[in-house]
């Protein structure tokens, strides 16, 4: 068995364990650096009442805390299923070197976890999205970015 299969099976097992123990939906993820699991998580949406507690996000939080960093360069994220748009955003912010996943997002959709509507919403103009979006106070909000540029103690990410 190769390393990718080994760690992907660990993510799949976390998905099964999280599901059967009532933590949340059937999703699991592990983050690996230098052949060692440095972060892991299963879906905990329903057990924590946190809609962001997807397996990938839980694993990213775990790995970042253990490694003492907000960047996961040099790591591989293994997910039991293709990451949803929210998780993909979190993954890109965390910057692992690569992603390996098992099931397709269409498989999750067949099981009732259909994120296709999010992809469709992202393609719509803001004013046509299902949840209304209203932009206000641009100059005041943008001023904080100007302050950030001049902020001497900023940490780039």
């Amino acid at each position: 068995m190769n390393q990718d299969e080994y760690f992907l099976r660990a993510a799949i097992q976390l998905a099964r364990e999280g599901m059967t123990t009532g933590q949340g939906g059937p999703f699991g993820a592990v983050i690996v650096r230098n052949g060692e699991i440095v972060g892991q998580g299963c879906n905990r949406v329903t057990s924590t009442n946190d809609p962001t507690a997807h397996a990938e996000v839980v694993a990213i939080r775990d790995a970042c805390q253990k490694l003492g960093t907000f960047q996961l360069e040099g790591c591989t994220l293994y997910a039991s299923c293709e990451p949803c748009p929210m998780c993909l955003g979190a993954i890109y912010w965390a910057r692992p070197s690569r992603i390996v996943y098992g099931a397709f997002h269409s498989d999750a959709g067949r099981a009732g976890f259909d994120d296709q509507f999010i992809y469709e919403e992202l393609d719509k103009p803001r004013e046509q999205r299902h949840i209304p979006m209203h932009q206000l106070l641009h100059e005041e909000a943008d001023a904080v970015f100007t302050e950030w540029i001049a902020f001497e103690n900023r940490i780039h990410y």
Side-chain angles (χ1 to χ4, degrees):
M1 174 177 17
N2 71 35
Q3 184 171 332
D4 284 345
E5 290 176 353
Y6 176 82
F7 289 118
L8 186 54
R9 283 191 174 107
I12 293 167
Q13 184 57 33
L14 278 171
R16 184 172 286 114
E17 288 173 15
M19 175 186 69
T20 59
T21 59
Q23 294 182 64
F27 302 93
V30 297
I31 297 173
V32 175
R33 184 174 73 177
N34 298 326
E36 178 184 343
I37 294 176
V38 294
Q40 64 182 11
C42 63
N43 182 289
R44 295 184 181 153
V45 170
T46 56
S47 62
T48 62
N49 294 318
D50 179 356
T52 68
H54 289 201
E56 297 91 335
V57 173
V58 173
I60 288 168
R61 291 172 180 163
D62 186 40
C64 288
Q65 183 179 30
K66 286 178 180 171
L67 296 174
T69 183
F70 53 86
Q71 303 286 273
L72 297 175
E73 292 155 347
C75 295
T76 299
L77 186 144
Y78 294 87
S80 63
C81 185
E82 182 179 6
C84 76
M86 178 188 71
C87 291
L88 197 55
I91 291 165
Y92 271 89
W93 280 114
R95 295 179 177 88
S97 296
R98 61 190 202 115
I99 304 165
V100 177
Y101 64 91
F104 292 108
H105 75 270
S106 56
D107 298 320
R110 183 177 44 79
F113 299 95
D114 191 3
D115 54 9
Q116 184 59 38
F117 78 97
I118 298 173
Y119 292 107
E120 292 168 5
E121 284 288 298
L122 293 173
D123 284 337
K124 293 179 183 177
R126 290 178 186 95
E127 63 277 359
Q128 293 179 12
R129 293 180 181 162
H130 181 74
I131 299 174
M133 295 179 70
H134 304 283
Q135 191 276 323
L136 296 171
L137 302 175
H138 177 258
E139 289 181 19
E140 291 178 39
D142 186 49
V144 180
F145 291 117
T146 302
E147 294 169 25
W148 172 256
I149 292 167
F151 187 60
E152 291 182 20
N153 295 325
R154 75 175 183 231
I155 298 173
H156 296 275
Y157 60 98

